[in-house]
Structure formats: C-alpha cells, structure tokens
C-alpha cells in the first residue's frame, strides 16, 4: 500500500458562497469517480483557493458529505503569482492505495484545464 497524491482544480465564475461549495463538490466527486476510493482511504485533503475567493471555506462542502466528516481537511490561500489563473480552487488528496502513479487520474475542470492540459483529459 502506498500514499498517493491526487491533484484536482476547478474554477468558479464569481466569489459566491454557494458556487464555491457546489464546484468543490463537483471536483471532489469527479476525483472519487475516476480513482475509485472511499473516504476511509484518505489520509488528508489540502485545499487552496486564489486570493480573490473569500466567500466560504470550501472544506465546508466536504465536511457535510455523508461519511466524510472524519477526513482531515486543511484550507489555505494559493500563492498569488501575477498572471495566474483567477477564481481557482485546488485540491490535493493523499490516499492510501495499491494503485501506481500511472493509474492515478488527476482532474482539471472548467478554466482550470489550462493549468495542466496534459492531465485534463485523463
């Protein structure tokens, strides 16, 4: 068994509480669907947002999912690099798995597909 990282990112159209929560769930559910794991397999989830998003902690959406309340979550601000993708939410899940690095499916949605076009379709 290994601890593997799964990356994911998405964007929102505006700094709106419900939109941030909804898009966080869409992203997480897609990561789970593509990688087939359970909350019990997760070591932790690191969540970042760009500084232009401050309406809500995206971890709130995950904590409220049934079976996910014991998953360790941490939110932080993404490094504010000039010219970087705005309105972006990123997830880094650390899961316990027997999958190889090549079997892990990273997920990039909405405008975040521009961050890693090489991984956006996998």
């Amino acid at each position: 068994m290994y601890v593997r990282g799964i990356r994911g990112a998405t964007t929102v159209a505006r700094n709106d509480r419900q939109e941030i929560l909804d898009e966080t769930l869409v992203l997480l559910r897609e990561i789970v669907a593509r990688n087939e794991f359970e909350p019990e397999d997760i070591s932790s989830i690191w969540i970042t947002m760009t500084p232009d998003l401050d309406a809500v902690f995206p971890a709130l959406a995950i904590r409220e999912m049934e079976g996910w309340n014991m998953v360790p979550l941490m939110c932080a601000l993404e490094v504010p690099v000039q010219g970087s993708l705005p309105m972006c939410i990123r997830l880094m899940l650390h899961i316990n798995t027997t999958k190889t690095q090549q079997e892990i499916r990273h997920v990039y949605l909405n405008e975040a597909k521009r961050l890693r076009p090489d991984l956006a379709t996998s």
Side-chain angles (χ1 to χ4, degrees):
M1 180 100 33
Y2 302 97
V3 176
R4 300 281 188 211
I6 304 175
R7 294 176 297 215
T10 191
T11 55
V12 294
R14 52 195 161 74
N15 184 27
D16 175 77
R17 181 183 197 281
Q18 197 58 54
E19 187 174 355
I20 291 168
L21 295 175
D22 290 347
E23 287 300 321
T24 299
L25 289 180
V26 167
L27 177 59
L28 179 61
R29 287 181 178 136
E30 188 63 26
I31 290 170
V32 171
R34 290 189 194 182
N35 290 281
E36 302 174 329
F37 61 88
E38 301 293 325
E40 188 66 27
D41 299 327
I42 301 172
S43 297
S44 63
I45 302 177
W46 187 258
I47 307 160
T48 65
M49 292 194 308
T50 49
D52 49 7
L53 298 177
D54 62 4
V56 67
F57 290 108
L60 177 64
I62 299 169
R63 262 191 239 106
E64 292 182 346
M65 291 174 60
E66 187 174 336
W68 289 74
N69 62 323
M70 297 304 293
V71 173
L73 306 170
M74 180 64 71
C75 291
L77 280 178
E78 189 67 32
V79 177
V81 174
Q82 290 181 5
S84 63
L85 183 64
M87 308 291 243
C88 189
I89 303 163
R90 291 175 173 87
L91 302 180
M92 172 68 80
L93 287 78
H94 303 99
I95 67 165
N96 298 302
T97 184
T98 57
K99 291 183 180 188
T100 66
Q101 290 282 14
Q102 292 74 25
E103 293 173 302
I104 297 296
R105 299 293 168 241
H106 306 283
V107 178
Y108 292 85
L109 304 175
N110 300 326
E111 293 299 313
K113 291 176 182 178
R114 297 186 339 212
L115 296 171
R116 289 298 304 264
D118 58 321
L119 299 177
T121 59
S122 62

